[in-house]
């Protein structure tokens, strides 16, 4: 009889202790809000000066329009997940994080998508492509991004021009020198430099349906071409003059074909 009573007491103590642990962990994970009302909203856009698509004022307007701006609202009624989900819908937002603190502050941290090329094709389309091949709508954003013109489909922009722009931007010389990419009807690639009154013809980008292989092929193709062009700049144009040629064809591996500028 006594043994049964001891077992019962031990079971009850175990249940009480487990309940206490659950309540303690819940209280730790959801600290008591000392301020019942939101007294401050902190909006941090990590790369605002680099990308420039979004500002704290624009984020505030987005939240106010959806009636989710938390300032002066009850802290208990503010759902950080709702704010995150709303902001992630924006085509310019890469990540969004929102959390509350016990001093009545709601913190919103945002990273933007990174545009690497602007597309202005012969059909009148005007949009950006980010470093992951995602399409971003045109906006008031102004930057020194490379502009791509000509015969460009969205598929070609996302899968090929994106990778080409990544390779150009990775090199300080070409990032400063190349201002425009033009795609010919046969998908041949022309580059327009900042310095020198000539057009550079690369040839056609290697194509494959495999994403990783495509990146590797374009990386090798572009770097081989631009290395050859860099040597021609150094040992050819520096001697002959930057404006001597109107067209420089580096399509072929073993030769560079130049068209002299016609004298006026």
């Amino acid at each position: 009889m006594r043994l049964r009573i001891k077992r019962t007491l031990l079971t009850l103590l175990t249940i009480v202790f487990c309940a206490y642990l659950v309540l303690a962990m819940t209280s730790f994970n959801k600290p008591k809000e000392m301020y019942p009302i939101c007294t401050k909203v902190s909006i941090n856009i990590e790369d605002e000066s680099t990308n420039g698509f979004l500002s704290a004022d624009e984020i505030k307007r987005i939240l106010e329009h959806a009636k989710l701006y938390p300032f002066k609202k009850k802290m208990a009624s503010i759902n950080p997940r709702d704010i995150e989900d709303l902001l992630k819908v924006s085509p310019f937002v890469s990540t969004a994080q929102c959390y509350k603190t016990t001093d009545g502050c709601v913190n919103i941290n945002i990273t933007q998508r990174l545009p690497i090329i602007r597309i202005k094709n012969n059909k009148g389309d005007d949009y950006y492509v980010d470093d992951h091949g995602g399409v971003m709508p045109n906006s008031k954003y102004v930057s020194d991004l490379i502009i791509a013109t000509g015969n460009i489909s969205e598929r070609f922009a996302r899968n090929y021009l994106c990778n080409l722009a990544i390779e150009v931007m990775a090199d300080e010389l070409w990032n400063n020198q190349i201002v425009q990419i033009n795609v010919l009807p046969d998908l041949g690639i022309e580059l327009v430099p900042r310095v020198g009154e000539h057009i550079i013809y690369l040839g056609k980008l290697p194509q494959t349906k495999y994403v990783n292989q495509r990146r590797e092929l374009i990386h090798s193709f572009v770097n081989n071409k631009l290395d050859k062009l860099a040597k021609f700049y150094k040992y050819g144009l520096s001697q002959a003059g930057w404006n001597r040629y109107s067209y420089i064809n580096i399509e072929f591996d073993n030769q560079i074909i130049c068209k002299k500028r016609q004298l006026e």
Side-chain angles (χ1 to χ4, degrees):
M1 183 70 177
R2 289 181 179 179
L3 181 59
R4 184 179 300 175
I5 293 173
K6 287 183 179 180
R7 288 178 177 175
T8 303
L9 289 174
L10 182 59
T11 302
L12 290 173
L13 287 173
T14 302
I15 293 172
V16 171
F17 180 71
C18 290
Y20 170 78
L21 286 178
V22 171
L23 290 174
M25 292 179 65
T26 302
S27 176
F28 178 79
N29 291 325
K30 295 183 178 180
K32 183 179 179 180
E33 292 163 349
M34 298 174 61
Y35 287 70
I37 302 296
C38 174
T39 58
K40 181 181 178 182
V41 179
S42 176
I43 300 174
N44 175 45
I45 303 175
E46 293 184 10
D47 43 8
E48 183 175 359
S49 61
T50 303
N51 291 4
F53 279 104
L54 295 171
S55 66
D57 288 339
E58 289 176 89
I59 297 299
K60 179 181 177 181
R61 283 195 292 271
I62 291 172
L63 294 174
E64 287 179 335
H65 181 74
K67 301 185 184 305
L68 288 178
Y69 190 64
F71 187 62
K72 291 186 177 181
K73 288 187 176 182
K74 292 181 179 180
M75 292 292 284
S77 68
I78 299 170
N79 188 340
R81 177 63 64 84
D82 290 342
I83 292 175
E84 291 174 352
D85 290 344
L86 173 67
L87 295 177
K88 287 176 183 177
V89 173
S90 169
F92 305 115
V93 172
S94 177
T95 64
Q97 181 188 38
C98 178
Y99 62 93
K100 301 184 288 184
T101 58
T102 56
D103 59 356
C105 181
V106 174
N107 295 277
I108 301 171
N109 296 324
I110 291 172
T111 60
Q112 300 183 74
R113 293 168 63 186
L114 177 64
I116 57 171
I117 190 169
R118 183 174 182 177
I119 308 298
K120 300 184 72 173
N121 66 18
N122 54 10
K123 294 181 180 179
D125 297 329
D126 189 350
Y127 56 90
Y128 298 95
V129 176
D130 69 15
D131 55 336
H132 295 291
V135 171
M136 305 171 65
N138 186 17
S139 72
K140 65 180 183 179
Y141 178 68
V142 178
S143 177
D144 291 331
L145 290 179
I146 296 172
I147 296 177
T149 58
N151 186 58
I152 305 172
S153 66
E154 184 176 304
R155 176 183 174 277
F156 189 75
R158 295 176 64 247
N159 294 319
Y160 292 94
L161 292 184
C162 167
N163 290 296
L164 172 57
I166 288 174
E167 298 304 324
V168 171
M169 290 180 65
D171 187 285
E172 184 177 0
L173 168 64
W174 303 120
N175 188 32
N176 292 319
Q177 171 70 338
I178 304 303
V179 296
Q180 182 179 343
I181 297 170
N182 186 54
V183 182
L184 301 174
D186 65 351
L187 300 183
I189 301 295
E190 293 179 332
L191 304 179
V192 180
R194 189 185 304 275
V195 178
E197 297 180 7
H198 55 265
I199 302 297
I200 303 156
Y201 181 68
L202 286 185
K204 297 180 182 179
L205 296 174
Q207 298 196 22
T208 177
K209 64 180 180 179
Y210 301 107
V211 175
N212 292 333
Q213 185 181 18
R214 183 187 306 138
R215 291 172 182 167
E216 293 175 2
L217 289 173
I218 293 177
H219 170 79
S220 177
F221 174 86
V222 174
N223 280 275
N224 287 338
K225 300 296 183 185
L226 294 184
D227 283 348
K228 181 166 62 174
L229 181 61
K231 292 176 182 177
F232 180 69
Y233 272 8
K234 183 176 181 179
Y235 301 108
L237 290 189
S238 62
Q239 302 296 323
W242 284 87
N243 297 322
R244 181 172 184 179
Y245 304 110
S246 62
Y247 207 82
I248 300 174
N249 185 338
I250 56 174
E251 176 184 12
F252 305 105
D253 291 336
N254 299 319
Q255 60 180 330
I256 296 177
I257 303 173
C258 298
K259 180 180 180 181
K260 286 186 178 181
R261 183 175 306 282
Q262 294 182 352
L263 298 177
E264 296 181 0

